[in-house]
Amino acid sequence: MAGADAHSRYYSEDVQAMAPGSVELVIVPDADHVDLYDRKELIPFDKLDEFFTKNLAA
């Protein structure tokens, strides 16, 4: 997950490019890196729930 306006977005894009098909990259529009910590209206909680349910649920 990366903000569309994050300076570090390219790190996430590099990881996805190294593992195509196994890594879903979610780009959050109108967000930078810090926005994804405290601007709850921008955080895609549905995607987080989906990921944790799939990968951590017993």
Side-chain angles (χ1 to χ4, degrees):
M1 182 175 308
D5 302 327
H7 294 290
S8 58
R9 177 179 169 175
Y10 73 94
Y11 288 122
S12 299
E13 293 169 335
D14 288 350
V15 169
Q16 184 193 33
M18 287 186 236
S22 62
V23 176
E24 177 185 3
L25 178 56
V26 177
I27 301 296
V28 181
D30 302 317
D32 63 25
H33 181 85
V34 177
D35 289 331
L36 298 178
Y37 288 102
D38 57 9
R39 291 192 56 201
K40 292 180 182 177
E41 73 277 7
L42 295 178
I43 300 170
F45 287 106
D46 58 331
K47 287 293 192 179
L48 292 171
D49 182 59
E50 179 184 323
F51 172 82
F52 287 118
T53 299
K54 177 181 174 186
N55 294 292
L56 298 178

